[in-house]
Amino acid sequence: MTSGALPIDLALQGGGSHGAFTWGVIERIFEQESLRVESISGTSAGAMNAAVLGHGYMVGGPKGAVAALERFWRSVSEAARFSPIQRTPFDVAAGNWSLDGSPGYLFYDVFSRLFSPYEVNPTNINPLRDILEAHVDFARLRDCPLKLFVNATNVRTGLPRLFRNAELTADVILASACLPLMHQAIAIDGDAYWDGGFSGNPLLTPIIRESAARDIVLVQINPIERPGVPRSAREILNRLNEISFNSSLKKELRAIAMFQRLFAAANLGAEIDVSWAEQWSDVRIHRIATPKMVELGASSKLNAEWEFLTMLRQEGRDCTDSFLAEHAGDLGRRSTYEIDTLLDTLLEQV
């Protein structure tokens, strides 16, 4: 990245170990000298990626960010080596990344529906805390030139709470990734917090309002559409989570599309605060995603095998290369993700 590079923002979704796809995307973007990341909004696994790369950036710039992410994901994989939730030999031989046939996963799946994490894990042990604290010096993030935004969902109000660089801690990142059936809510400033995906996956508003960049690259790992009707309890729960974790993002994208349409039609920039109008009217949205996520079962979000993580990483790199090959010339000029269609679909239903 050079001083004359185009500034962009990253918006990183959460999705367990599927966040390794985002790892690959980040690698390729940070390897582009023509691009400069200005700010990052991340939720859950996206928040972990953001915090780790922020630390690495402070240590060694773009190359340091890339190296830090590899060390982090390798530690996640090594920590999961002795987990009882593993693929069966049949799945390994068949090349199936799902954990649906794992006795450990099946036991956990049933157990988590009968008992809360307060009953089965009263001391709230979370191996990810040790990994985060080993890989991120949160105090240094206060001086990181990258603006970092992480959100978590307030259990009491149901509203998102946004945390910026100076507020980031291991608790904040764990709160952003706190699935209620897996972990106890994380207490911050007297309030309890769950996964940020329930209220913003990720939040776009802060980077629109606080970043000088006008291009947002959304890295999406939760499928918006999934063919067929889920029939098993596990499939139904997975699809409910996908819809829930995408709904807040789709609302923000529709709001952006509506603002832009209004500004274009009524020339509102001349009648209201121009800086505020430009923030919303000039933002350009891009998306990097892969259809492979539809092929992966929900249980694979708990698969932390190194081979799986590096497969997703390579998929992220390949999808980014495809995006840049097709749209590099559009960055800084126009949106490549047609958010107008989301708005039109909504208006057609009312």
Side-chain angles (χ1 to χ4, degrees), residues 20 39 46 115-116 136 144 162 177 191 200 212 234 238 242 272 311 336 345:
S39 68
F115 302 97
S116 83
V136 181
C144 182
L162 184 68
D191 264 321
R234 189 181 303 131
N238 176 50
E242 287 178 344
I272 63 176
M311 181 276 291
T336 58
T345 299

Side-chain angles (χ1 to χ4, degrees), residues 75-288:
S75 292
V76 169
S77 180
E78 290 175 352
R81 284 176 58 194
F82 303 106
S83 168
I85 303 177
Q86 302 285 348
R87 286 189 298 164
T88 65
F90 174 80
D91 287 324
V92 173
N96 178 16
W97 298 111
S98 172
L99 298 172
D100 289 351
S102 165
Y105 177 77
L106 293 172
F107 176 79
Y108 160 77
D109 191 40
V110 174
F111 203 70
S112 65
R113 300 172 198 270
L114 299 176
F115 302 97
S116 83
Y118 295 87
E119 297 170 305
V120 300
N121 186 11
T123 57
N124 201 24
I125 297 173
N126 189 337
L128 280 174
R129 179 182 297 278
D130 292 336
I131 296 174
L132 281 169
E133 291 178 344
H135 288 271
V136 181
D137 183 347
F138 287 96
R140 295 192 68 177
L141 292 183
R142 298 169 187 165
D143 300 318
C144 182
L146 305 176
K147 294 180 180 179
L148 305 179
F149 304 100
V150 169
N151 71 293
T153 303
N154 186 303
V155 177
R156 176 175 54 85
T157 66
L159 297 174
R161 175 175 172 181
L162 184 68
F163 300 87
R164 295 171 175 81
N165 293 52
E167 304 167 288
L168 296 183
T169 63
D171 273 344
V172 168
I173 305 301
L174 292 174
S176 183
C178 180
L179 293 172
L181 295 180
M182 292 183 65
H183 304 290
Q184 295 182 28
I186 303 295
I188 302 174
D189 298 334
D191 264 321
Y193 291 89
W194 280 339
D195 196 297
F198 294 114
S199 56
N201 194 19
L203 286 177
L204 302 181
T205 301
I207 50 181
I208 292 174
R209 296 180 61 183
E210 300 183 30
S211 172
R214 295 292 83 200
D215 288 82
I216 299 175
V217 178
L218 167 65
V219 184
Q220 193 162 25
I221 56 179
N222 284 296
I224 292 180
E225 296 185 7
R226 185 177 287 275
V229 178
R231 297 187 179 277
S232 70
R234 189 181 303 131
E235 290 173 341
I236 292 171
L237 182 61
N238 176 50
R239 188 56 185 151
L240 282 172
N241 284 334
E242 287 178 344
I243 293 172
S244 174
F245 280 10
N246 278 326
S247 63
S248 56
L249 172 64
K250 291 170 75 173
K251 288 177 182 177
E252 278 196 293
L253 291 172
R254 286 179 183 132
I256 294 169
M258 183 174 293
F259 278 126
Q260 292 182 339
R261 191 173 294 183
L262 286 171
F263 293 147
N267 192 25
L268 293 180
E271 302 174 15
I272 63 176
D273 178 58
V274 175
S275 62
W276 184 89
E278 288 179 347
Q279 285 179 332
W280 291 89
S281 62
D282 290 349
V283 68
R284 296 175 288 271
I285 307 294
H286 314 275
R287 183 177 73 134
I288 298 177

